[in-house]
Amino acid sequence: MSTAPAFTLDLPEDVRTSRDWVHDFARDVIRPAAAEWDEREETPWPILQEAAKIGLYSLDFFATQWFEPSGLGVPVTWEELFWGDPGIGLAITGSTLAAVSVAATGTPEQIGEWTPQMFGTPDDVRLAAFCASEPDAGSDVGAVRTRAVYHEATDEWVLDGTKTWATNGGIADVHVVVASVDPELGSRGQATFIVGPHTPGLSQGQKFRKHGIRASHTAEVVLDGVRVPGRCLVGGKERLDERLARVREGRRGGGQAAMKTFEASRPTVGAMAVGTARAAYEYARDYAGQRTQFGRPIGQNQAVAFKLADMATRIDAARLLVWRAAWMARNGKDFDAAQGSMSKLYASETAVWATEEAIQILGGNGYTREYPVERWHRDAKIFTIFEGTSEIQRLIIGRAVTGLPLV
């Protein structure tokens, strides 16, 4: 008679080791540089190079964490990176969304050829960008207007359109682009393409000056007659043709690559938010123990202590939602109640709330740039917006729990 393994929330030893290693890098390298790069609003190349030298920014680290058996490698280590600083954390992790897209649905040949080029080497650090959103197609993924037209004679695809809100957009070595191959099918008529380094016709459009995460480069990507060989269609043309045929016949066409990428990334965005919230909570907690008013630490006042109690509770709950979703994704469990969206929704809104509470605890000091909580508050807001707004997450959850087509 077999017995089920005992339930445990203990992290595997290798995950704990990675967590501690990343935490030390975040504490010693990222945090001291965070304010500078926020002010500069530039990609922190020296930090990326330091991360690459120790193997933190590398294909090997990405692969070992993403495919770690428990599913907790990425959420645990990314929490530490974003505890260090969300802007620099996103600069370090920004290439992984493109890598996930290719790794999830690409052919073995595509994975072997392109994912190494998304990270490079310690002596030649490279970047990747995942380009899905457009000026008129953010949450409405079916409204993508970027077109990809196949030319059979040359076995090439020609891409035209404009992408926006692309992390590393325009400065990346490899761009992974979502385009429509059959506009009549909406989101089901889309495919994903790999655009290699120095491809003619791809250029950077507007670089955005942002409210937060300013150490991470965000820009438009303009595609003007960009030609990519047939082998750069993610998953291959045969698989695409089979999927489109099923859709046209009214059968299930299988998931589009871009949506699979977002589904896989939702718990990781939740982990980013948890790290940011935790940073603000810990700073406010320590401040409340040292700052005195009326002859005693302000942490002795119930008004402050209760804020900290609520912060600690909500952050822990958010982390557990993230861990559950990450474990489910790694073990092939269906998000039958939209658990991935739950984790992102709750963690992202917790980050915004917790960073605001931290400012309140610090009072006037919290509102100045001399203290990091105002920066974390600016950074936290993005988690409720990118890779699916809070409203979209609620729509997904609502559909899942009611079984009704909400609009």
Side-chain angles (χ1 to χ4, degrees):
M1 181 177 178
S2 62
T3 57
F7 174 79
T8 179
L9 286 173
D10 290 335
L11 293 173
E13 183 177 356
D14 58 336
V15 175
R16 294 199 306 272
T17 300
S18 293
R19 176 198 61 193
D20 295 344
W21 174 60
V22 174
H23 178 82
D24 289 348
F25 184 84
R27 180 194 62 211
D28 299 337
V29 180
I30 293 177
R31 278 207 169 179
E36 174 190 353
W37 290 101
D38 176 72
E39 291 286 346
R40 292 176 65 166
E41 298 191 51
E42 298 174 359
T43 299
W45 287 105
I47 309 298
L48 287 173
Q49 290 164 349
E50 288 298 313
K53 285 179 183 177
I54 66 170
L56 176 56
Y57 185 80
S58 69
L59 176 60
D60 285 345
F61 184 75
F62 157 73
T64 56
Q65 296 304 299
W66 200 268
F67 300 106
E68 189 275 326
S70 73
L72 300 181
V74 168
V76 168
T77 54
W78 285 27
E79 178 182 329
E80 298 305 324
L81 281 174
F82 283 73
W83 172 89
D85 179 70
I88 295 177
L90 192 58
I92 292 174
T93 61
S95 295
T96 59
L97 194 59
V100 168
S101 178
V102 175
T105 58
T107 65
E109 292 77 16
Q110 289 170 336
I111 296 169
E113 178 180 2
W114 292 107
T115 54
Q117 296 187 54
M118 296 179 182
F119 298 91
T121 67
D123 296 325
D124 182 21
V125 173
R126 299 190 180 190
L127 300 175
F130 184 71
C131 307
S133 294
E134 297 185 2
D136 295 317
S139 298
D140 184 5
V141 295
V144 166
R145 293 183 179 177
T146 296
R147 287 296 311 277
V149 178
Y150 183 61
H151 293 256
E152 188 171 0
T154 58
D155 187 29
E156 288 181 314
W157 291 87
V158 179
L159 278 61
D160 289 281
T162 299
K163 294 295 181 179
T164 194
W165 311 121
T167 299
N168 298 332
I171 65 171
D173 298 273
V174 179
H175 291 76
V176 178
V177 179
V178 178
S180 175
V181 297
D182 189 338
E184 293 183 0
L185 299 180
S187 63
R188 296 178 298 169
Q190 296 170 5
T192 305
F193 299 86
I194 302 167
V195 183
H198 312 300
T199 300
L202 186 148
S203 62
Q204 178 185 310
Q206 176 186 4
K207 177 185 175 181
F208 296 104
R209 301 189 65 189
K210 305 188 297 294
H211 177 65
I213 55 165
R214 301 197 298 192
S216 173
H217 175 96
T218 309
E220 291 180 330
V221 174
V222 179
L223 303 121
D224 184 8
V226 173
R227 291 181 172 271
V228 298
R231 63 183 176 82
C232 289
L233 167 63
V234 176
K237 193 168 187 304
E238 182 178 350
R239 188 187 302 174
L240 172 65
D241 289 342
E242 291 175 353
R243 176 167 63 84
L244 294 179
R246 289 195 298 271
V247 173
R248 293 182 185 118
E249 292 170 3
R251 295 182 288 152
R252 294 180 62 86
Q256 204 279 324
M259 296 311 297
K260 289 185 177 180
T261 301
F262 289 132
E263 288 169 9
S265 67
R266 280 176 187 137
T268 67
V269 176
M272 299 175 187
V274 170
T276 307
R278 189 183 115 216
Y281 158 70
E282 291 178 356
Y283 198 95
R285 178 199 62 197
D286 294 347
Y287 182 92
Q290 299 166 3
R291 170 73 166 168
T292 58
Q293 290 284 281
F294 305 106
R296 62 173 183 260
I298 63 172
Q300 285 187 253
N301 298 317
Q302 283 190 2
V304 174
F306 284 7
K307 284 183 182 294
L308 293 169
D310 287 341
M311 291 165 76
T313 301
R314 283 189 57 172
I315 291 167
D316 214 24
R319 181 183 296 110
L320 290 172
L321 282 171
V322 168
W323 283 14
R324 180 184 67 171
W327 176 86
M328 290 178 68
R330 183 68 186 90
N331 288 278
K333 307 289 186 181
D334 290 335
F335 288 161
D336 53 356
Q339 289 90 343
S341 290
M342 285 182 182
S343 69
K344 180 188 182 297
L345 171 66
Y346 191 77
S348 62
E349 296 200 344
T350 293
V352 173
W353 170 82
T355 53
E356 183 171 358
E357 289 291 84
I359 291 175
Q360 196 69 21
I361 290 172
L362 268 67
N365 286 334
Y367 200 66
T368 71
R369 293 191 180 182
E370 301 301 315
Y371 292 79
V373 291
E374 71 82 27
R375 183 176 72 249
W376 292 331
H377 183 55
R378 288 188 285 108
D379 292 340
K381 184 57 189 172
I382 193 60
F383 302 128
T384 68
I385 298 172
F386 72 178
E387 296 191 43
T389 64
S390 288
E391 291 73 22
I392 289 296
Q393 304 309 322
R394 286 188 167 91
L395 184 64
I396 293 169
I397 297 166
R399 286 172 175 169
V401 298
T402 65
L404 300 173
L406 305 183
V407 294

